[in-house]
Amino acid sequence: MTLPDVDALTLAPYAAREERSRGRRYPEPAPEYRGEYQRDRDRIIHSNAFRRLVYKTQVFVNHEGDLYRTRVTHSIEVAQIARSVARALRVEETLTEAISLAHDLGHTPFGHAGQDALNECMQPHGGFEHNLQSLRVVDELEERYADFPGLNLTFECREGILKHCSARVARGLGDVGERFLSQRQPGLEAQIANLADEIAYNNHDVDDGLRAGLIDLEQLREMRMFRRQYERVTTRHPGLAGRRLVHEIIRGMINHIVVDLIRASQARIEQAGPASIEEVRALPQPLIAPAEETLQEHRELMRFLRERVYRHYKVLRMTTKARRVIGQLFEAFMTDIRLMPPEHRELAARGESGQGIDGRARAVADYIAGMTDRYAILEHRRLFDPAERT
Ligand code: MG
């Protein structure tokens, strides 16, 4: 049955269009009651990797408190911001949502500390990049379908998931790697998801940092983006304090940057006048970005968070522990793959017979990267604490 094509009425010419999609790696019949990008999104939500995001850290390790963001709440906030922008700019909202929900699927346990630690362990074996790992999860590692490995997502979704990538790695990736070698852009849906990621974590890390007592309102008022909203809220509601004050300010900051992002991007789109997604891809610069002044304020806040939150001694203590856990797990499994559960041991053995020691290392990295914070802690205890059951 054919459904009426509502997209044709609402989508801009430069939006991704499923009828002109560059397709899936393994061709499949079209879905019956859904679009192709809906199918992408649904496969992502039903994946194992997506469910694991519940117990993966953003900044604060999972057991530190129930109100902090985890990777799954972060991904949902990214999707919410990205969808609003996509709809306002008349591009593919569902594709934007799918990219947003999938962007962190390859993240290790313990946030950036975990990624850095695993990357260090993997240096002699080709390194570890979490963006590339997200693509690896959807292309190879998920085991759900009889006819293909991974989730077999559309090219447009895979292109959006691979945000960054080194030229060395790009050469081995085929179609999704091309743009990193020829300096081209991804579609607008991917560009939007990328910016929405930054907007989401900048703002929720202010919220989480305040909640954890690592930063306070006095320090934040030195940031232009925060100060403007602080003054707006306290002028309108002079007695407001506590969580409601904080939420009103953050709400104002998100709204300010999102509205600015839509307006500035719209102006750039009008000026460049791309007639198709291919013309968007061929442009020398991305079209999705806030105005220069807003971008500066946004970066000021990012620097503040790096100094005051991500490098706060309490966060550093946790991240140091996390690095130790990842490093020791890697070393133990590399030394003896029989310590891994049978399916991972088999993958390591198969990797080794194909690519030698690098193949073994990649299988160990895949196993560790897939762990949640609490699973990694438990695995570490099972391996190193003689009193713990194995
Ligand atoms: Mg993210």
Side-chain angles (χ1 to χ4, degrees), residues 58 71 74 103-104 197:
Q58 194 62 28
R71 293 256 158 215
H74 162 70
H103 84 282
D104 271 349
D197 184 22

Side-chain angles (χ1 to χ4, degrees), residues 90-320:
R90 296 195 302 129
V91 300
E92 244 294 341
E93 183 179 341
T94 310
L95 172 61
T96 311
E97 181 185 15
I99 296 168
S100 303
L101 292 176
H103 84 282
D104 271 349
L105 288 181
H107 234 293
T108 60
F110 312 124
H112 287 282
Q115 127 93 26
D116 292 346
L118 198 51
N119 188 27
E120 264 169 44
C121 298
M122 285 295 286
Q123 275 315 300
H125 312 289
F128 179 89
E129 298 171 23
H130 79 265
N131 259 283
L132 182 63
Q133 190 70 7
S134 295
L135 186 69
R136 200 167 148 70
V137 166
V138 301
D139 279 358
E140 308 286 344
L141 300 180
E142 279 289 323
E143 292 182 293
R144 306 192 69 80
Y145 302 95
D147 294 330
F148 44 78
L151 306 180
N152 198 32
L153 303 179
T154 60
F155 173 86
E156 293 73 29
C157 194
R158 296 171 60 236
E159 136 183 270
I161 291 170
L162 192 66
K163 272 196 293 198
H164 316 284
C165 161
S166 57
R168 180 183 59 80
V169 168
R171 272 182 221 107
L173 288 178
D175 55 5
V176 275
E178 274 167 27
R179 74 180 167 92
F180 300 97
L181 302 171
S182 56
Q183 313 297 324
R184 285 156 53 96
Q185 310 306 319
L188 295 182
E189 292 79 2
Q191 295 182 27
I192 289 169
N194 191 9
L195 255 296
D197 184 22
E198 281 188 16
I199 295 170
Y201 71 65
N202 233 8
N203 284 284
H204 65 50
D205 289 350
V206 168
D207 187 31
D208 284 352
L210 280 167
R211 180 176 282 111
L214 305 184
I215 48 177
D216 59 36
L217 296 179
E218 284 305 310
Q219 295 167 335
L220 277 162
R221 274 162 62 192
E222 287 163 32
M223 301 300 103
R224 283 172 289 170
M225 192 170 272
F226 191 92
R227 183 166 62 242
R228 186 183 311 110
Q229 298 304 325
Y230 179 91
E231 283 164 6
R232 183 187 62 86
V233 176
T234 50
T235 306
R236 200 171 298 174
H237 309 281
L240 199 64
R243 294 309 304 170
R244 292 172 83 177
L245 173 62
V246 170
H247 285 302
E248 279 293 342
I249 294 169
I250 292 175
R251 187 169 85 95
M253 289 203 297
I254 296 176
N255 189 62
H256 174 79
I257 192 165
V258 167
V259 168
D260 183 274
L261 178 68
I262 292 167
R263 286 187 186 144
S265 302
Q266 185 66 59
R268 259 183 241 108
I269 290 168
E270 275 163 24
Q271 206 180 10
S276 67
I277 189 170
E278 282 307 325
E279 289 189 24
V280 169
R281 288 179 174 134
L283 291 166
Q285 295 291 331
L287 293 175
I288 305 296
E292 187 51 37
E293 199 192 333
T294 309
L295 191 64
Q296 293 308 327
E297 292 180 1
H298 175 73
R299 290 199 174 133
E300 184 182 69
L301 193 56
M302 274 171 136
R303 282 194 296 273
F304 173 88
L305 288 168
R306 198 179 313 131
E307 290 300 318
R308 305 289 175 98
V309 176
Y310 313 145
R311 291 183 193 153
H312 192 283
Y313 84 96
K314 287 186 180 169
V315 173
L316 285 179
R317 281 183 184 185
M318 192 59 229
T319 54
T320 307

